[in-house]
Amino acid sequence: MKILIFDRFIMRLFSVVTTKLTLILLLFLTVYTSLSQASLPDLEANKDERSLSNPSYVLGQYWFRKLNGSRALIDFPPAYDYFKDTLALLLPQTDLYNKKVELTFLNSSQSNAFVIPGNHMFLYSDIMEMITNEDMLLGLLAHELAHLDLKHYERQTQRSNEEMQKTLTMLGAGIAAALAGAGGDTTSALWLGGIANQAENKLTYSRQQEQEADRRGRDYLQQADLNPNGMTQLFQAFFKKALGRPKLEFLSTHPSPESRMSDTFSITTKETLLHQKDNTEFEFFRASLLAYRAGLEERPYLYLTQQIHHTDAGYFAKALFAYLVQSPKRALTYLQQIEIQNRYSQYLLALSLAASEQIDSAIQVTEKALNLAPKNIYFSMLNAQLTQTQPKKLKAEYLYQKRALWRANIQFYQSINNKSMPLYYRALLDFNRGKEKTAKILLNRAIKNAKNQELDLLKSTDKKFNNIISAEKVENLKEEKS
C-alpha cells in the first residue's frame, strides 16, 4: 500500500514541476526513500527547541546548514544585526523556551519567508519589494514566530508517517534543487514552512493554522506595543502584487489576502513605540537585501532606483551591488554621496577600501567604528583581518557572527604559519555549510598536526560533530556524497 501511495505521489509531482526539477527530484528521492521510516517527534520529550534530543531541531539544523551552504546565501552582517534586534522586540511575547532564533537571508526572485523546526527563520530578498516599512516587516516576523510558537510543524507531522515523509521529501527536493543551481522559480515552491507547497496544493500548514498564526502574531504586536496594522498592510501588498499574475507562492499556501485583510481591519491603529523612532535602519536593511536581489535583474542599477526611494539607502544599495560585482571603486563613488553614515555604509566602506588596496584607510574606518562599539564582532573581525592580528575573543551566538570569527582566525593562524588551527576553523565553516564529510576530513588533519595545547579543543569539536551526525542518522538524514 505504501509503495502504491508513494508511486502516485511521484506521478502527481511530474504534472506540476518542470523537467529540470523532475530530474533533480528523481536523484533526490533515490537518496531519501528511507525518510518514510523517520520517527515522529515527541512534543513532550524536550522543552528546549534547540537540543539534539529534540528530533525537530535535528531536522531543522540539518537543513539550516545545507541552506547556509547555498549559493543563494546573503552574507552581509549589518543586515543580520538589524534583523536580530527587530526579532528581539517580539520574542519576549512568545512562549518559546529558547528565545534564540537563527537567521538566514536567501537571494531569490520569489517573495517568500518561512521557518523550519528548531527556531530557524529564512527571508527571501524579493519579499522586500513589498515590505516598504518596519510595521510590515514586524507583521511578517510576528506571523512566522507564531508558527514556531504554536509548533505547527510538529502538530502537522504527528498526524501521520505518510504526511511527514511527503513533507520531508518536498523540503529535501527544494534544498537539492537550490544546491544544484536551479532557478528561484523552480525551487521556491518546495520550501518547508508557512509558505511551502506540497503536490496538488496539499499544504504543510493548513489554512486554519495560517489564520491561527495571523491572530497569534497580532497578539505579539499588541503586547509589544507595536502597530498591529503592519500585518494588514502586508496582506494588502501581497494582494496588490498578486493581481494580474500567477498566484504568489506565499499566497498559494495561505488563506486569500482578502479574508486575511478583513480579519485585521477590526484592529484599531494607534501610536506606538515604533513610530517614535527613526526608520533609517530599516531602510538600509531593505536596501541591503535588494542590492543582492538586483543581481537577478538585467538592469540592476535601474531596478534599485525604482525600488528604493530613500536617498541615502539608494546610494548605499548601489554601492553594495557594485562591491558584490567586484567594482569597489564604483562602490566608493556611491558611498561618498551618502550624507548620514551608519554601520551599513561604514562596514561597506571598509570592505570597498580594502578591495581597492587602500588598507590603511580601511583600518581607520574599522578603528573608528570600534571606538564607538568595542564589542561589534564584524568590525572587530574585519579589523583583525586587515591588521593581521589575533582576533579578540568576543561572544558569537549566531552563525553569521561565527562565520566572521572563523574567517578572521583562519587568516591569523595562516599568517603565523600554524598548520593545525586554519584547518580547524575551515572545518567549522564547512560543517556549518552542510559539508559534514569534508569538515571531518579537515578536522582529522588538524588533529594530526596539532600541538598539545590545541588537542583538547580539536577533540571536543570532533566529539560534537560526531554527536550531531549520530543524531541525524537516527532521523535517517544523510551525509553529503563525496
Side-chain angles (χ1 to χ4, degrees):
M1 186 64 182
K2 285 186 177 180
I3 294 173
L4 180 60
I5 292 172
F6 192 66
D7 286 343
R8 289 175 180 170
F9 171 61
I10 293 177
M11 292 303 295
R12 289 198 296 269
L13 282 176
F14 270 89
S15 67
V16 294
V17 296
T18 64
T19 302
K20 181 178 180 181
L21 180 56
T22 301
L23 295 173
I24 297 169
L25 280 169
L26 288 173
L27 292 172
F28 180 83
L29 292 173
T30 301
V31 176
Y32 281 87
T33 302
S34 62
L35 283 172
S36 60
Q37 303 302 319
S39 59
L40 291 174
D42 180 358
L43 296 180
E44 303 302 323
N46 193 291
K47 193 176 181 182
D48 191 346
E49 297 90 357
R50 297 181 61 82
S51 166
L52 287 180
S53 59
N54 182 343
S56 293
Y57 171 67
V58 173
L59 171 71
Q61 183 66 10
Y62 178 85
W63 290 120
F64 176 73
R65 295 199 311 273
K66 295 294 183 187
L67 278 168
N68 273 275
S70 165
R71 289 183 296 175
L73 178 70
I74 294 174
D75 191 6
F76 191 71
Y80 283 87
D81 252 10
Y82 166 81
F83 201 72
K84 171 178 65 68
D85 294 342
T86 304
L87 270 178
L89 298 174
L90 295 168
L91 280 166
Q93 319 309 323
T94 72
D95 292 326
L96 293 169
Y97 176 78
N98 193 316
K99 302 297 185 182
K100 175 185 171 185
V101 174
E102 276 283 12
L103 320 167
T104 298
F105 305 140
L106 297 169
N107 196 24
S108 173
S109 59
Q110 294 294 308
S111 295
N112 283 342
F114 62 97
V115 290
I116 59 177
N119 293 12
H120 302 92
M121 183 177 292
F122 296 81
L123 194 74
Y124 280 25
S125 58
D126 189 80
I127 204 170
M128 298 312 297
E129 288 186 7
M130 288 180 288
I131 297 178
T132 56
N133 62 60
E134 199 166 31
D135 284 348
M136 296 170 71
L137 179 63
L138 282 161
L140 177 67
L141 300 187
H143 170 87
E144 296 301 335
L145 281 176
H147 278 308
L148 292 175
D149 201 6
L150 294 165
K151 296 189 182 295
H152 280 164
Y153 168 80
E154 288 87 348
R155 283 161 54 186
Q156 195 80 342
T157 56
Q158 280 190 322
R159 295 171 67 176
S160 73
N161 249 329
E162 178 189 340
E163 286 303 313
M164 180 179 183
Q165 190 270 333
K166 288 182 182 180
T167 299
L168 298 183
T169 299
M170 295 300 288
L171 169 63
I175 306 295
L179 297 180
D185 290 346
T186 304
T187 62
S188 62
L190 300 168
W191 299 123
L192 176 67
I195 46 77
N197 274 339
Q198 286 192 21
E200 293 186 355
N201 208 31
K202 291 185 177 179
L203 309 179
T204 302
Y205 293 158
S206 70
R207 296 182 187 278
Q208 181 180 359
Q209 286 176 324
E210 291 301 328
Q211 290 186 315
E212 186 182 19
D214 290 344
R215 290 163 184 165
R216 177 65 64 88
R218 286 195 299 275
D219 288 342
Y220 298 156
L221 293 167
Q222 290 177 304
Q223 291 164 12
D225 197 26
L226 299 169
N227 185 8
N229 192 48
M231 196 172 283
T232 303
Q233 295 177 46
L234 180 68
F235 301 148
Q236 289 173 328
F238 275 110
F239 178 66
K240 182 178 179 181
K241 190 168 184 178
L243 291 175
R245 59 173 288 177
K247 225 169 15 174
L248 292 173
E249 303 300 344
F250 185 94
L251 297 180
S252 65
T253 62
H254 289 56
S256 68
E258 300 98 318
S259 65
R260 300 177 83 178
M261 285 190 291
S262 65
D263 201 27
T264 61
F265 279 144
S266 60
I267 299 298
T268 302
T269 303
K270 62 177 182 176
E271 287 299 315
T272 63
L273 291 175
L274 182 62
H275 288 97
Q276 300 172 18
K277 70 172 189 174
D278 182 9
N279 284 329
T280 301
E281 280 277 308
F282 165 79
E283 295 290 350
F284 273 76
F285 166 76
R286 180 172 182 267
S288 299
L289 269 61
L290 291 180
Y292 281 82
R293 173 65 180 80
L296 305 178
E297 296 291 319
E298 290 185 5
R299 303 177 69 183
Y301 291 103
L302 176 61
Y303 169 84
L304 292 173
T305 298
Q306 293 172 337
Q307 292 294 332
I308 302 172
H309 305 296
H310 186 283
T311 303
D312 280 352
Y315 286 133
F316 164 76
K318 291 176 181 178
L320 178 54
F321 176 77
Y323 173 78
L324 293 173
V325 296
Q326 300 181 346
S327 299
K329 292 183 179 179
R330 188 172 187 179
L332 291 171
T333 300
Y334 282 120
L335 288 169
Q336 288 170 1
Q337 299 179 67
I338 296 176
E339 292 186 5
I340 301 176
Q341 300 289 331
N342 57 27
R343 57 182 169 176
Y344 296 85
S345 59
Q346 289 297 290
Y347 187 70
L348 180 57
L349 177 60
L351 291 176
S352 301
L353 287 168
S356 301
E357 299 183 353
Q358 301 179 54
I359 304 300
D360 290 341
S361 297
I363 292 172
Q364 289 177 8
V365 173
T366 59
E367 288 178 345
K368 182 178 178 180
L370 290 171
N371 286 335
L372 298 173
K375 294 185 179 180
N376 182 294
I377 192 163
Y378 49 88
F379 273 110
S380 181
M381 295 307 110
L382 181 55
N383 179 265
Q385 288 181 282
L386 294 170
T387 57
Q388 295 191 344
T389 56
Q390 186 166 17
K392 293 181 180 178
K393 294 182 179 179
L394 297 176
K395 188 176 182 180
E397 294 184 84
Y398 295 83
L399 182 55
Y400 78 92
Q401 297 171 330
K402 293 175 182 177
R403 281 196 295 260
L405 179 65
W406 296 335
R407 288 166 183 159
N409 274 291
I410 289 172
Q411 184 163 319
F412 168 71
Y413 283 107
Q414 285 178 333
S415 71
I416 62 172
N417 296 317
N418 183 300
K419 295 181 179 180
S420 176
M421 297 306 287
L423 294 171
Y424 165 70
Y425 286 108
R426 283 181 178 173
L428 290 173
L429 273 173
D430 276 347
F431 191 85
N432 285 277
R433 290 173 179 149
K435 300 177 180 179
E436 294 89 348
K437 189 173 181 179
T438 302
K440 285 283 292 178
I441 291 172
L442 289 171
L443 189 56
N444 288 335
R445 287 174 55 195
I447 291 172
K448 290 179 181 179
N449 291 299
K451 300 175 183 177
N452 289 335
Q453 63 268 30
E454 299 166 345
L455 277 174
D456 287 344
L457 174 62
L458 301 187
K459 288 182 177 179
S460 66
T461 301
D462 187 47
K463 183 178 179 181
K464 181 180 178 181
F465 283 2
N466 289 334
N467 288 341
I468 293 171
I469 291 170
S470 295
E472 290 171 351
K473 286 181 178 178
V474 170
E475 301 305 314
N476 290 313
L477 298 169
K478 305 295 184 182
E479 295 182 41
E480 64 178 340
K481 295 297 181 180
S482 58

